[in-house]
Amino acid sequence: MSLFQRLKVMKGFILLETPREKLTKDHYGTQRLLEVAEKRNLDFQLISPRQFELIVTRDDKKSILIDDKPVELPDVVIPRMGSDTSYYALAVLRQLEHLGVYVCNNARAVETVKDKLHSHQVLAYSSLPTPKTMLAKFPIELSVIRREIGFPLVIKNITGTHGKGIYLCDSEEKFTDVMEFIYSQNANANIIIQEFMEASRGKDLRVFVLGGRVIGCMLRSSKTSFKANFSKGGDVHKFDLTPEIEWLATETARLLNLDIAGIDLLFDKKGYKVCEANSAPGFQGLEKIVGKRIAEDIMDYIQLKVGKS
């Protein structure tokens, strides 16, 4: 089959926990990908991981069970769950990969990025600039926090997304109150403590990387919060790409093995630090800045990847 023929008949799944009929504005990126696929006459379906029957066998399978019915293997799967990816969803992704399906991004990359501490370990050990980060250990030793991180500091849920599960503590008293509350609710909570980048208060950069190339960069800002997420009401503005920004973003995506990545950079006094990476980045704000082409670029990339396989 020629490359042209394969691109014309490409079938794919977009994995999201929300059924298609319940899609809302919160899933703008998913809606845009489905829209582009439909315009190109590509057979893409929105599937929840829970619709799969995960059966592991040594037999050579050419199909999978969805809603208890055999379905032909797709050419590509696009996970759009990000840090909300469940263990079951990761198992589904791994199974599809073993069966030869191109998964963009793959299970290992999604799992690494889901764990903020692990991803920081990967980046820091490769000498990329990141905020100093430590894993909370209960009961908290305040003297260690004071010495190693200092105040103000940021408390994060290890798997948070869209600005959720992040709290700024500007004093030891507030920090102690918050940590005592967390401990009282869940003594085994996985929480990371991170230095606060004052130069980045209320602003950061979102850099969109696709296939090792930056396709968009924007400044996110907020006048009412230290968090600048567009999904939380922050403003977005075009930001000129520099060699430093481009290198930090593409190198982060490479180290974390992400084909599609939203890289968040914090402003520092002497440049930038990598805040985090997102395996299923939204791009509503970015399309607002650069025009409606991000979803088209993603589908172009996927079609070429599948066509070359």
Side-chain angles (χ1 to χ4, degrees), residues 48-182:
S48 166
R50 301 298 298 183
Q51 291 177 252
F52 287 81
E53 295 296 341
L54 197 58
I55 303 170
V56 181
T57 173
R58 63 183 294 175
D59 296 337
D60 182 23
K61 296 292 184 180
K62 300 299 181 183
S63 65
I64 46 181
L65 289 178
I66 296 180
D67 296 330
D68 204 24
K69 297 178 182 178
V71 176
E72 183 181 346
L73 285 174
D75 295 300
V76 60
V77 168
I78 310 174
R80 293 289 300 169
M81 297 160 290
S83 65
D84 291 330
T85 306
S86 64
Y87 178 84
Y88 194 90
L90 285 171
V92 168
L93 296 181
R94 294 189 189 100
Q95 181 85 342
L96 290 165
E97 289 173 38
H98 287 311
L99 293 172
V101 177
Y102 171 50
V103 179
C104 183
N105 295 296
N106 66 44
R108 185 175 181 181
V110 172
E111 186 174 27
T112 298
V113 173
K114 174 184 166 88
D115 185 334
K116 294 182 186 296
L117 181 66
H118 185 196
S119 56
H120 272 285
Q121 288 172 325
V122 172
L123 299 178
Y125 295 160
S126 298
S127 298
L128 264 67
T130 63
K132 184 182 288 189
T133 304
M134 68 182 293
L135 183 65
K137 183 176 65 175
F138 294 103
I140 297 294
E141 290 287 346
L142 189 58
S143 61
V144 176
I145 303 300
R146 186 188 304 116
R147 184 187 71 234
E148 297 296 333
I149 303 295
F151 291 89
L153 56 73
V154 176
I155 300 172
K156 291 184 178 181
N157 187 320
I158 206 164
T159 60
T161 187
H162 299 301
K164 299 175 183 176
I166 302 176
Y167 188 79
L168 175 64
C169 286
D170 54 14
S171 70
E172 294 185 11
E173 290 76 16
K174 284 186 179 180
F175 173 75
T176 300
D177 288 343
V178 171
M179 298 308 287
E180 285 180 350
F181 176 76
I182 293 173

Side-chain angles (χ1 to χ4, degrees), residues 2 28 35 45 72 74 110 126 131 162-163 246 283:
S2 69
Y28 172 90
E35 173 188 306
Q45 301 177 53
E72 183 181 346
V110 172
S126 298
H162 299 301
E246 184 173 18
F283 48 87

Side-chain angles (χ1 to χ4, degrees), residues 14 23-36:
I14 297 177
L23 276 177
T24 67
K25 64 179 181 179
D26 294 331
H27 300 300
Y28 172 90
T30 302
Q31 291 175 317
R32 285 281 291 122
L33 290 170
L34 289 170
E35 173 188 306
V36 172

Side-chain angles (χ1 to χ4, degrees), residues 29 44 62 66 164 178 184 207 229 252 308:
F44 268 72
K62 300 299 181 183
I66 296 180
K164 299 175 183 176
V178 171
S184 69
V207 188
N229 302 68
T252 297
K308 290 178 181 178

